[in-house]
Amino acid sequence: MMTLIFWSKLPQFRPGLNSGYQPPSSPPTGSSATGDPSGLAYATLALGIASWVLLPVIAAVVGAIMGWIELKNIESGKSSAAGKTVTKIGFWLSVANVGLVVIGTCLSVGAVVLFFGSFAALMAAAGVAGA
């Protein structure tokens, strides 16, 4: 008996009746990209990944330059906008790796200078080395 009352109160849930919902006829249009990403976009992504795995300095610098060029091509309309995300990922992977290489190099040089400088100071204080 409760089931009959429930179904009578909610007619939109009864089988065979239209609930008023109409599915969209086509996907919404907007600024979606058309076409496929260019080869330069995929090359930028490949170099961005390779800069972390195989060739840290070379692949990172080349990937950053190629990514910059491809992003400018996408903005000017020379390349398909479908490759924008792929290009950005490869570009930022490369840029992050270049930044880490620069920071690591500075820290390494500083550590070497500090080590050998303190070693030279200790030898000078002991009277073994000049000055």
Side-chain angles (χ1 to χ4, degrees), residues 45-125:
L45 180 61
L47 285 169
I49 294 170
S51 71
W52 287 91
V53 179
L54 298 173
L55 307 165
V57 177
I58 296 168
V61 171
V62 174
I65 293 170
M66 286 176 60
W68 183 266
I69 292 169
E70 180 63 10
L71 285 173
K72 292 300 174 187
N73 287 344
I74 290 171
E75 287 177 6
S76 67
K78 294 178 185 175
S79 292
S80 172
K84 190 169 188 175
T85 303
V86 173
T87 304
K88 280 186 176 182
I89 292 170
F91 174 74
W92 286 112
L93 281 172
S94 299
V95 168
N97 201 342
V98 168
L100 289 176
V101 165
V102 168
I103 290 171
T105 302
C106 291
L107 290 176
S108 298
V109 168
V112 168
V113 168
L114 181 67
F115 175 76
F116 285 111
S118 62
F119 184 69
L122 285 173
M123 291 195 55

Side-chain angles (χ1 to χ4, degrees), residues 13-60:
F13 293 117
R14 282 189 281 175
L17 294 179
N18 187 2
S19 67
Y21 171 75
Q22 296 294 322
S25 60
S26 64
T29 59
S31 62
S32 64
T34 57
D36 292 331
S38 68
L40 195 57
Y42 286 126
T44 301
L45 180 61
L47 285 169
I49 294 170
S51 71
W52 287 91
V53 179
L54 298 173
L55 307 165
V57 177
I58 296 168

